[in-house]
């Protein structure tokens, strides 16, 4: 019981009730602005891995909730994921968009899955940015042209399918002599798993990439990854990405009035 201890500590003074046990301050949950996609899963996986308390705030991108003024204040790029950490630097709230920046922030905050040693950190960052600038955007474009574009543009499909194939090859070679992308399991692996998990939909043959296949199975076997990638699955039920109303929201976006 803490009461006795507090009295002893405060002997001779007015006894103050301890606010909370040392190190047991009630933590305000992080607000996770989320929709169940590979970009969203990066953050749900990290929160689960770090056992950080969080509140899920769905952003239904098929209905245009990413354009709500309150959300744009947090994420001016009208994209999820985004977070608000009520206990940000200096104890004040902080809002963050862009999944790579969120992963780095959570890694620094917790000291987990993002090493502070400079050499180890650079290893992680190279593969994190490789995902952000390569695997994610290329696989995203492939998904668009292969599954959604009204015109069947063979050239565009082949271009992005080739690029995804090349990127899988790079990852496969990288994983030949190390368990994870940066050696140890890190935010770089969390950034990639949701995308690599869709290899079949991307028209790729996983058997061509045995080291990537082994890595994918290892990462997906982690309970936190399973929880992260199961988050909000039910939200997508009944949503047809081929519905012209949904496509009118998501495709053909141009600059918003300032
Ligand atoms: N570079 C961004 C990409 C995020 C992104 O593309 N999010 C998509 C869903 S996967 C989205 O919110 N789309 C809404 C829209 O297209 O309006 C990140 O990594 O956070």
């Amino acid at each position: 019981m803490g009461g006795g201890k507090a009295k002893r500590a405060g002997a001779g003074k007015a006894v103050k009730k301890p606010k909370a046990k040392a190190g047991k301050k009630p933590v305000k949950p992080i607000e996770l602005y989320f929709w169940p996609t590979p970009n969203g899963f990066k953050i749900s996986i990290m929160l689960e891995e770090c056992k950080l308390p969080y509140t899920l705030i769905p952003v239904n991108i098929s209905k245009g909730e990413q354009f709500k003024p309150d959300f744009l204040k947090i994420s001016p790029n009208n994209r999820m994921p985004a977070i608000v950490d009520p206990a940000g630097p200096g104890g004040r709230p902080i809002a963050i968009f862009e999944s790579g920046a969120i992963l780095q922030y959570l890694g620094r905050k917790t000291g987990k899955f993002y090493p502070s040693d400079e050499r180890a950190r650079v290893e992680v960052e190279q593969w994190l940015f490789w995902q952000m600038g390569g695997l994610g955007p290329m696989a995203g474009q492939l998904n668009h042209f292969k599954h959604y574009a009204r015109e069947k543009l063979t050239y565009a499909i082949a271009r992005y399918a080739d690029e995804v194939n090349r990127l899988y090859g790079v990852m496969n070679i990288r994983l030949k002599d190390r368990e994870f992308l940066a050696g140890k399991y890190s935010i770089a692996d969390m950034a990639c798993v949701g995308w690599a998990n869709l290899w079949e939909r991307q028209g790729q043959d996983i058997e061509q990439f045995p080291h990537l296949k082994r890595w994918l199975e290892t990462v997906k076997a982690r309970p936190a990854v399973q929880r992260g990638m199961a988050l909000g699955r039910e939200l997508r039920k009944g949503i047809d990405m081929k519905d012209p109303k949904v496509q009118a929201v998501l495709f053909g976006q141009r600059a918003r009035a300032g």
Side-chain angles (χ1 to χ4, degrees):
M1 296 294 280
K5 254 190 185 168
K7 267 179 204 159
R8 272 198 303 279
K13 297 183 202 150
V15 178
K16 271 191 196 165
K17 258 195 175 177
K19 276 183 201 144
K21 267 192 177 179
K24 292 239 166 123
K25 242 184 172 180
V27 195
K28 277 196 194 161
I30 289 174
E31 293 168 10
L32 170 63
Y33 291 81
F34 174 89
W35 196 244
T37 75
N39 282 322
F41 296 146
K42 295 174 190 174
I43 312 306
S44 50
I45 291 172
M46 179 63 169
L47 291 166
E48 290 288 342
E49 290 283 13
C50 297
K51 298 189 177 71
L52 283 167
Y54 64 94
T55 313
L56 168 63
I57 304 178
V59 181
N60 187 339
I61 59 172
S62 69
K63 280 197 176 152
E65 289 178 3
Q66 67 274 38
F67 297 105
K68 284 187 174 172
D70 282 351
F71 180 67
L72 289 173
K73 278 185 206 151
I74 296 166
S75 182
N77 194 36
N78 69 266
R79 298 279 189 274
M80 73 85 224
I83 63 164
V84 173
D85 180 3
R92 283 177 289 113
I94 186 168
I96 314 172
F97 72 102
E98 277 297 324
S99 57
I102 301 170
L103 287 173
Q104 288 178 305
Y105 171 78
L106 293 175
R108 287 190 301 267
K109 181 183 169 84
T110 58
K112 288 182 182 164
F113 309 110
Y114 188 32
S116 51
D117 167 74
E118 185 60 10
R119 282 184 190 277
R121 177 161 282 197
V122 168
E123 290 288 299
V124 171
E125 286 173 344
Q126 290 175 103
W127 289 94
L128 176 64
F129 283 87
W130 176 85
Q131 190 290 322
M132 295 300 301
L135 184 62
M138 296 306 129
Q141 292 304 323
L142 173 58
N143 192 36
H144 179 84
F145 285 109
K146 194 169 162 59
H147 298 290
Y148 302 120
R150 296 242 176 90
E151 290 167 65
K152 193 156 185 69
L153 298 171
T154 354
Y155 180 84
I157 296 171
R159 177 174 162 79
Y160 290 114
D162 285 348
E163 184 58 4
V164 169
N165 185 269
R166 186 189 72 79
L167 290 163
Y168 276 12
V170 171
M171 215 174 160
N172 190 53
I173 294 168
R174 174 72 182 176
L175 291 164
K176 196 171 170 179
D177 56 1
R178 45 177 75 67
E179 197 175 7
F180 299 104
L181 287 166
K184 284 190 183 157
Y185 180 62
S186 75
I187 53 174
D189 302 292
M190 298 181 207
C192 292
V193 62
W195 290 97
N197 194 35
L198 298 176
W199 56 269
E200 210 168 354
R201 192 170 161 75
Q202 295 158 4
Q204 306 296 325
D205 175 12
I206 197 76
E207 300 305 329
Q208 197 193 331
F209 309 105
H211 310 297
L212 167 56
K213 185 183 175 191
R214 186 262 311 146
W215 166 89
L216 186 59
E217 282 164 5
T218 308
V219 176
K220 280 175 64 182
R222 295 179 69 90
V225 172
Q226 288 169 12
R227 289 195 299 276
M229 288 183 32
L231 186 74
R233 287 275 183 201
E234 70 287 351
L235 296 168
R236 288 185 75 144
K237 276 202 187 123
I239 294 174
D240 177 7
M241 288 290 292
K242 294 198 169 147
D243 178 343
K245 269 192 250 142
V246 172
Q247 295 200 347
V249 173
L250 287 170
F251 306 154
Q253 295 178 9
R254 289 172 62 86
R256 280 175 288 112

